[in-house]
Amino acid sequence: MLSASLLEIAVPRLIRLFPLFAFAGFLVLAPKATAQQEPPYFVTYSSVLEEPGNLEIENQNIAASPKNANAFFAPTVEFEYGVTAWWTAEAYVQGQTTKNDSAIFTGFRFESRFRPLPREYWINPVLYVEYEDVNAADKSFLEITGNTSITTLQVSNAALRKEVERSIETKLILSSNAKGWNLSENFIAEKAVNESEPWEFGYALAAAHPLALAGSGKPCVFCRQNFDAGAELFGGLGTTDGFGWKQTQQYAAPTVAFNAPHGLTFKFSPEFGLNDNSATVLWRFGASYEIQQFRDWFRRSK
Amino acid sequence: MRASLACIALILAFLLLPVVCLATADGSWLKKVPQADRARTNPYAADPTAIAAGRNLFRNNCAKCHGENAEGKANRPSLKSKRIQTATDGDLAWLIKNGEAFKGMPGWGALPEPERWQIISYVRSLNTPAPGAQQ
């Protein structure tokens, strides 16, 4: 009787803890390596794609306590796979929990990024296309397009989740690398496919630099080369009916990343609102883990 | 009927693409290296710590495909080879920066240039330097 009730309590908890056990297992089995190419951005994409065969699992979270609205926490889990050296595919699932309201699943996204040119140039273009099925309660701020305002967050989750938008989002990603600096510019165009809405536009700009350009001769965890610092600027640009950046949200953000051993990366960024439509500050933090050569798990010859 | 055939063709193309793209490296990239790049020399060639730093960087960034000791892995090439011996430092720097995206090798242009040279120092240390390298 006792063991049955214990099982009733323990089994669901263990199931809930499974991702933690799986993650710990990965850490033990994984080779000791740090991933160093990727700049420390949350919103802006650079020309760096996932290496072919690698699978990166990222959890990025955003927390905020906007004026006149309930505080919220919105996690997004992202699976990024390098299909080839010029094509990366990603899937996202996202949700949010709002204080004095509820916790809900807000939707999913599938995206692909293609690098059309085979060489490294002064400016490297990447083409991005995404299908998203997200409801209006989404608070992930993965990008900002059209005319949006933080005041929409005053509406309850129950009301917002009824409005589902299925849309195609495209981005032109431009990225340059020089003397350790990465400069990236994203131009976003989004069109709802399930309702007649105008095209929505947005942008993201970023720059980053590692704290050291040359590697250390000694294996180290906290050496400067494992840290990247940068800044992001992103927001909406209105719609085809009204182009501009005043009637939408705009943010500026310093950002920092630490590339830890075992393929782990930690990122942090406080994002500051630049106008009355924006939240005062969004706290963003994330951790990612790269499973190196995930494809080899399915190969006979390794 | 036509739609399902198109769908099957698309799935087959998707499945075969990585196989085509991961075709074994054939060294044809050497012909693409511009003369100015080929003539570049490694600024870390005389730095005794560069090999150790390059080894760490190699293990962090390259070993996942080329093997922990650059011995190659599955259809990804060994870096202990005649081709690497005869390539100049400039050739290797060009390949690491630009990659061969359509043959499976990503470009590493976002990795700082000093780190790329340190990796070359390490890869060189695995191969006997060739006195008559391609010029």
Side-chain angles (χ1 to χ4, degrees), chain A residues 62 94 122 133 136 138 170 177 197 203 213 221 227 273 300:
Chain A
I62 193 159
Q94 52 193 75
W122 280 103
D133 184 314
D138 170 38
T170 58
N177 298 298
E197 283 187 355
Y203 73 95
L213 290 180
V221 175
F227 289 87
R300 282 189 180 176

Side-chain angles (χ1 to χ4, degrees), chain A residues 33-34 36-37 48 51-52 54 85-87 118-120 177 210 213-219 290 292-293 295-296 299, chain B residues 14 17 22 32 52-53 56-57 60-61 64-65 76 94 98-102 104 107-112 114-115 118:
Chain A
T34 57
Q36 292 177 324
Q37 266 227 118
V48 177
E51 289 130 43
N54 283 8
W86 50 268
W87 173 18
R119 303 266 169 273
E120 182 80 8
N177 298 298
L213 290 180
S216 164
K218 294 175 187 166
E290 194 172 71
Q292 298 184 354
Q293 292 308 300
R295 182 158 50 202
D296 282 356
R299 275 182 202 272
Chain B
F14 180 83
L17 200 60
L22 280 173
K32 300 173 189 166
N56 293 334
L57 291 163
N60 288 343
N61 297 295
K64 52 195 131 182
C65 290
R76 285 144 299 189
W94 182 89
N98 291 285
E100 269 280 82
F102 298 121
W108 290 83
L111 201 66
E115 293 190 352
Q118 289 175 321

Side-chain angles (χ1 to χ4, degrees), chain A residues 49-106:
Chain A
L49 302 184
E50 190 58 50
E51 289 130 43
N54 283 8
L55 174 69
E56 186 181 273
I57 303 169
E58 179 170 351
N59 167 231
Q60 66 160 282
N61 308 285
I62 193 159
S65 186
K67 217 174 176 181
N68 305 324
N70 288 319
F72 67 86
F73 172 75
T76 298
V77 179
E78 176 186 339
F79 301 88
E80 180 176 293
Y81 180 68
V83 185
T84 69
W86 50 268
W87 173 18
T88 291
E90 282 187 67
Y92 296 78
V93 284
Q94 52 193 75
Q96 56 103 325
T97 178
T98 302
K99 199 176 175 187
N100 304 321
D101 198 333
S102 59
I104 58 169
F105 174 72
T106 56

Side-chain angles (χ1 to χ4, degrees), chain A residues 74-300:
Chain A
T76 298
V77 179
E78 176 186 339
F79 301 88
E80 180 176 293
Y81 180 68
V83 185
T84 69
W86 50 268
W87 173 18
T88 291
E90 282 187 67
Y92 296 78
V93 284
Q94 52 193 75
Q96 56 103 325
T97 178
T98 302
K99 199 176 175 187
N100 304 321
D101 198 333
S102 59
I104 58 169
F105 174 72
T106 56
F108 61 88
R109 301 159 186 249
F110 296 108
E111 68 163 64
S112 276
R113 279 178 283 149
F114 303 97
R115 204 171 153 152
L117 302 180
R119 303 266 169 273
E120 182 80 8
Y121 298 96
W122 280 103
I123 297 178
N124 302 294
V126 173
L127 305 174
Y128 170 111
V129 61
E130 177 187 271
Y131 171 76
E132 60 181 59
D133 184 314
V134 177
N135 65 45
D138 170 38
K139 295 175 182 175
S140 62
F141 291 83
L142 293 180
E143 75 281 311
I144 294 172
T145 55
N147 294 316
T148 63
S149 171
I150 201 76
T151 52
T152 55
L153 302 188
Q154 293 169 352
V155 183
S156 72
N157 282 346
L160 287 170
R161 71 185 302 181
K162 287 178 190 162
E163 190 190 326
V164 177
E165 183 175 279
R166 296 183 181 91
S167 61
I168 300 287
E169 183 179 296
T170 58
K171 288 182 187 173
L172 172 62
I173 298 164
L174 301 174
S175 190
S176 312
N177 298 298
K179 299 192 186 301
W181 283 95
N182 174 269
L183 301 174
S184 296
E185 306 89 33
N186 298 178
F187 303 97
I188 311 166
E190 185 175 5
K191 179 81 176 91
V193 292
N194 65 331
E195 45 198 36
S196 58
E197 283 187 355
W199 280 88
E200 298 180 339
F201 303 104
Y203 73 95
L205 309 171
H209 194 274
L211 297 195
L213 290 180
S216 164
K218 294 175 187 166
C220 54
V221 175
F222 295 107
C223 40
R224 290 191 300 152
Q225 80 212 44
N226 290 342
F227 289 87
D228 289 279
E232 287 187 272
L233 184 68
F234 61 95
L237 286 174
T239 68
T240 40
D241 292 346
F243 194 81
W245 57 77
K246 289 185 179 166
Q247 304 303 317
T248 183
Q249 300 180 68
Q250 305 290 333
Y251 292 92
T255 174
V256 65
F258 166 50
N259 298 305
H262 297 291
L264 272 168
T265 299
F266 299 96
K267 291 193 282 187
F268 172 71
S269 174
E271 298 170 345
F272 300 100
L274 300 178
N275 62 12
D276 292 340
N277 292 311
S278 314
T280 311
V281 61
L282 302 169
W283 300 97
R284 182 120 47 178
F285 52 97
S288 63
Y289 176 71
E290 194 172 71
I291 303 171
Q292 298 184 354
Q293 292 308 300
F294 177 69
R295 182 158 50 202
D296 282 356
W297 293 12
F298 307 98
R299 275 182 202 272
R300 282 189 180 176

